[in-house]
Amino acid sequence: MLKEAEAWLATRSWSVTDRPLHRVLAAKRASGQSVSVVLPALNEEETVGDIVAVIRHDLMRQVPLVDEIVVVDSGSTDRTSQVAAAAGARVVHRDEILPRIPAVPGKGEVLWRSLLVTTGDIVCFVDADLKEFSSDFVSGIVGPLLTEPGVDLVKAMYDRPLGGAAGQGGRVTELMARPLLNMHWPQLAGFVQPLGGEYAARRSLLEQLPFPVGYGVELGMLVDALHLVGLDALAQVDVGVRKHRHQDGQALGRMAAAIYRTAQLRLARGHLIRPALTQFERSADGFEPRTYSVDTEERPPMAEIAEYAERKVA
């Protein structure tokens, strides 16, 4: 491993137990900073309510760490919105945010738009499909942003079991993202979960970053943040175990293609000859091709959006 990455691991990788909650709260009071939690959600009625309820109980009622919880629904056809609202979240539909720019499908699109409907100085993103959720996921990654002025972005790290086997989740991370980072951005090789959906950052950083609209958003954000604020401003916190809904192999293939495209853009800002991925499914007549488009669009830094600038002035 690159020596710089090794040194970073020793100074910017922590455990949730390193910052007791009373210390984090004292830092929040002293700094006067506010914290928003955002859950991007698409058909997550089975899990989103429990996540919202835990955050509200542990980090809003018992202690005043979180100032708002916003669920951004990106077109659910189940009861995601109703369940989230009943649990105490403010629910905003993706298409209602910045309507002059037509929304496109994708997780990054939702995260980008969430900056317009949240107010926190610190924004914490949490995937809405987590099971057996612990509020440590939020307090753990928000903590360094309140206690360490030089830290701008914090990723959660955790074990990801798959089928009862420890450490076997995160297949796209191991097969695509980790090799890319080690070969092209070795300073980032110390991140245990570079594609994890649980991370927090200062709004002042997020509003300067472009957002890939799809699954490339996490890798793109890490790479762009490295170039914008430097490795020492990035950190990670061990929050234990992450259990969630796993996707099938073909969905992971499409995710990997989007991540590769995101990396390709940052390596050369080059032209993708064929922005599509063909996969195969067996039918009664043999293997049939299915072709999917690869996310190639990126949203500009939110600081460049007129509506966002007007909101800040107001």
Side-chain angles (χ1 to χ4, degrees):
M1 181 180 287
L2 195 71
K3 287 186 176 180
E4 187 176 358
E6 288 183 349
W8 176 85
L9 272 172
T11 60
R12 286 291 185 259
S13 291
W14 296 296
S15 166
V16 66
T17 59
D18 291 335
R19 289 175 180 78
L21 198 50
H22 68 84
R23 180 185 166 198
V24 175
L25 286 169
K28 182 177 189 285
R29 285 192 293 268
S31 67
Q33 296 179 90
S34 55
V35 176
S36 298
V37 175
V38 172
L39 278 72
L42 177 62
N43 295 329
E44 304 293 357
E45 67 175 359
E46 294 184 3
T47 50
V48 68
D50 289 341
I51 297 172
V52 170
V54 168
I55 296 172
R56 280 185 57 82
H57 176 269
D58 292 0
L59 303 180
M60 296 182 83
R61 292 177 183 151
Q62 287 198 331
V63 298
L65 179 63
V66 171
D67 297 283
E68 64 175 348
I69 305 175
V70 178
V71 171
V72 183
D73 190 329
S74 57
S76 297
T77 55
D78 65 2
R79 298 182 63 254
T80 290
S81 290
Q82 297 93 316
V83 171
R90 177 161 61 93
V91 178
V92 185
H93 292 273
R94 177 199 61 196
D95 296 351
E96 297 173 357
I97 307 169
L98 199 61
R100 73 172 176 84
I101 299 178
V104 298
K107 179 183 180 182
E109 177 83 353
V110 174
L111 301 183
W112 181 71
R113 289 175 187 264
S114 75
L115 297 181
L116 263 169
V117 293
T118 54
T119 58
D121 302 300
I122 294 170
V123 182
C124 175
F125 299 118
V126 176
D127 281 350
D129 66 342
L130 301 189
K131 303 173 182 177
E132 301 177 27
F133 177 77
S134 166
S135 59
D136 285 347
F137 274 68
V138 173
S139 59
I141 56 179
V142 167
L145 294 165
L146 292 168
T147 62
E148 308 289 335
V151 172
D152 289 330
L153 184 149
V154 183
K155 297 277 293 189
M157 57 176 166
Y158 31 67
D159 183 43
R160 296 182 67 179
L162 176 64
Q168 295 304 304
R171 291 161 287 173
V172 176
T173 293
E174 300 304 331
L175 296 174
M176 176 60 72
R178 201 177 308 286
L180 282 172
L181 292 176
N182 274 265
M183 288 187 288
H184 298 295
W185 297 281
Q187 290 171 294
L188 299 173
F191 276 94
V192 175
Q193 298 291 353
L195 300 185
E198 291 69 47
Y199 48 99
R202 299 189 193 281
R203 178 176 294 273
S204 57
L205 170 62
L206 293 172
E207 66 188 15
Q208 297 181 69
L209 298 176
F211 277 61
V213 298
Y215 285 120
V217 63
E218 274 85 23
L219 183 134
M221 191 176 294
L222 265 187
V223 171
D224 293 340
L226 172 68
H227 292 300
L228 191 62
V229 295
L231 182 61
D232 202 47
L234 313 180
Q236 62 184 352
V237 173
D238 188 349
V239 296
V241 179
R242 182 186 197 264
K243 297 181 181 180
H244 66 114
R245 171 176 46 79
H246 292 283
Q247 301 194 56
D248 63 34
Q250 293 206 328
L252 296 178
R254 297 190 290 275
M255 185 185 302
I259 290 165
Y260 178 77
R261 170 57 171 169
T262 300
Q264 182 197 44
L265 283 172
R266 279 149 182 79
L267 284 169
R269 296 291 167 183
H271 173 64
L272 186 63
I273 295 173
R274 181 175 179 263
L277 173 72
T278 299
Q279 297 176 318
F280 295 87
E281 297 178 7
R282 183 183 286 279
S283 70
D285 299 321
F287 286 101
E288 294 188 4
R290 299 282 189 273
T291 299
Y292 301 88
S293 62
V294 173
D295 293 320
T296 59
E297 189 168 358
E298 297 199 4
R299 295 305 191 188
M302 187 57 78
E304 298 177 7
I305 300 298
E307 288 89 339
Y308 186 78
E310 290 167 3
R311 192 196 72 165
K312 292 187 72 174
V313 170

